[in-house]
Amino acid sequence: MSPSIPPTISNPLRILYLSSPDIGKIHILEGDNLSISTAYYSAIIPIWHDQINLSSSAIKTWEREWRTDEAREVVRSIGAFVVVTPKPLKKDDLDTIRTLLTTLTSLITHHTQEAAGSYSVNNEPLLLYLGSHQPKVPRLEISDEEWEDMTRECGGWEWIDGEVEGEGRNEFGEKVGLGRLLEALEAHEWENAEDGAALPDDFELEEDDGLSQLAANILDDESGAREPILSGPSSKSMKESNRDTMDEGTDDEIQELEGMMLKLQAIKDMGADLPEAERRKMAAKAVGDLMKKM
């Protein structure tokens, strides 16, 4: 059997590469696109480059421009924020980096969660902070553990030491430096769930179709029912039907299907408090994912 070709993500989310003016482009992200090909997917990720001066006034100005309603869809189309600055010379520099990261976190939350009546259905964006070489001395000495604690407290950012070269690994066997940057980008979910994910207003669900009934279970929160999808009659008949038709199927395929159905249940629970339009988007994407597995 020839190996399966991984699916191509045709319209992926973007990367925002934000750096201070004194930073050159790192070679992994120096172009307008990043080509990624793994065993699970392939995609050409567009890269948006932007610069910001490391001062409180510049950060406030940048935030004001990006907090507008017009910028909302732009922010929601970004799958990874990569911030690159020189390592700090003094504590004030470190405080400015902290301000920049917390400001970005607040901005992302505003556009993806807090905007009235509008919730993003994409996965949470990847947040990566890379500290690059600081040629000036003396510079502030900070351990990796201190960096990790600080960036995590700024809203879940991952610290990457940009001065580490080669294919090094830390004591836990994890890649470090630019190798870790590329590894994190490759492992991220780039599919844009908001791109055509909304169901049309005249979308109808046929009661005799097992797959459509799963979508109905996700969308239906009026009855207050919270039975697990796996215990419902539609999912049971769906599993039995698949076992009858998959003559060459394997236990792994059955487990994969059951895993997808568990994912549907989780999406149903998470979407209970979302606006109707956003729940419909989540349901459409979940059903689409399941159809690809069948």
Side-chain angles (χ1 to χ4, degrees):
M1 180 182 295
S2 60
S4 60
I5 300 176
T8 298
I9 301 176
S10 59
N11 186 25
L13 297 166
R14 279 63 171 159
I15 295 172
L16 177 64
Y17 179 90
L18 180 63
S19 63
S20 53
D22 51 348
I23 292 292
K25 296 178 181 178
I26 56 179
H27 71 272
I28 294 176
L29 302 176
E30 63 183 354
D32 294 328
N33 299 284
L34 173 65
S35 179
I36 296 178
S37 181
T38 72
Y40 306 101
Y41 75 94
S42 63
I44 298 178
I45 313 297
I47 304 173
W48 293 336
H49 297 271
D50 199 4
Q51 291 188 337
I52 185 170
N53 289 310
L54 292 181
S55 68
S56 297
S57 59
I59 293 173
K60 288 180 180 179
T61 300
W62 192 91
E63 179 192 18
R64 186 164 55 249
E65 294 172 350
W66 280 76
R67 193 173 278 268
T68 63
D69 291 344
E70 291 77 10
R72 180 173 304 138
E73 294 307 313
V74 175
V75 173
R76 288 166 64 140
S77 68
I78 297 173
F81 290 79
V82 181
V83 176
V84 184
T85 74
K87 292 181 178 179
L89 287 170
K90 53 187 183 298
K91 185 178 181 301
D92 287 348
D93 298 337
L94 181 63
D95 290 340
T96 301
I97 294 172
R98 181 185 287 108
T99 298
L100 174 59
L101 298 183
T102 54
T103 297
L104 276 166
T105 301
S106 173
L107 181 73
I108 295 166
T109 300
H110 170 73
H111 284 309
T112 60
Q113 299 179 25
E114 296 177 355
S118 181
Y119 294 74
S120 176
V121 297
N122 287 319
N123 290 331
E124 292 185 5
L126 189 63
L127 305 178
L128 304 173
Y129 169 68
L130 187 146
S132 70
H133 175 64
Q134 173 58 266
K136 299 178 182 179
V137 292
R139 67 183 187 186
L140 193 63
E141 294 298 328
I142 310 173
S143 68
D144 280 337
E145 184 177 356
E146 290 173 319
W147 272 118
E148 290 168 358
D149 290 342
M150 190 208 79
T151 55
R152 184 170 55 249
E153 291 169 358
C154 289
W157 292 78
E158 179 179 344
W159 154 250
I160 296 176
D161 190 344
E163 290 188 294
V164 176
E165 299 179 354
E167 297 295 326
R169 294 179 181 270
N170 60 22
E171 62 271 27
F172 304 108
E174 300 167 332
K175 289 186 177 181
V176 293
L178 296 183
R180 172 54 193 162
L181 174 63
L182 181 59
E183 181 181 60
L185 293 171
E186 289 178 339
H188 191 53
E189 172 59 65
W190 292 103
E191 187 172 358
N192 191 348
E194 296 190 355
D195 179 35
L199 293 173
D201 292 337
D202 59 353
F203 181 80
E204 295 182 357
L205 299 172
E206 298 294 336
E207 292 300 323
D208 61 348
D209 181 74
L211 184 61
S212 296
Q213 187 59 47
L214 286 175
N217 287 341
I218 300 172
L219 290 170
D220 180 19
D221 68 348
E222 295 178 357
S223 64
R226 286 293 181 268
E227 301 88 2
I229 288 179
L230 286 175
S231 66
S234 59
S235 63
K236 179 180 179 182
S237 61
M238 190 174 172
K239 286 196 290 182
E240 291 176 349
S241 174
N242 275 279
R243 287 192 175 99
D244 291 339
T245 57
M246 292 194 311
D247 295 333
E248 298 180 359
T250 65
D251 290 341
D252 289 341
E253 290 172 334
I254 294 174
Q255 291 175 2
E256 185 176 40
L257 175 61
E258 292 177 344
M260 286 299 298
M261 296 173 73
L262 286 171
K263 181 179 178 181
L264 290 176
Q265 174 65 52
I267 291 174
K268 175 183 177 181
D269 295 339
M270 288 188 299
D273 298 325
L274 293 179
E276 173 68 17
E278 304 306 327
R279 289 193 298 111
R280 291 168 68 84
K281 286 182 181 181
M282 290 183 72
K285 183 178 186 299
V287 171
D289 288 344
L290 184 55
M291 290 179 67
K292 293 176 184 178
K293 299 289 185 181
M294 297 182 63

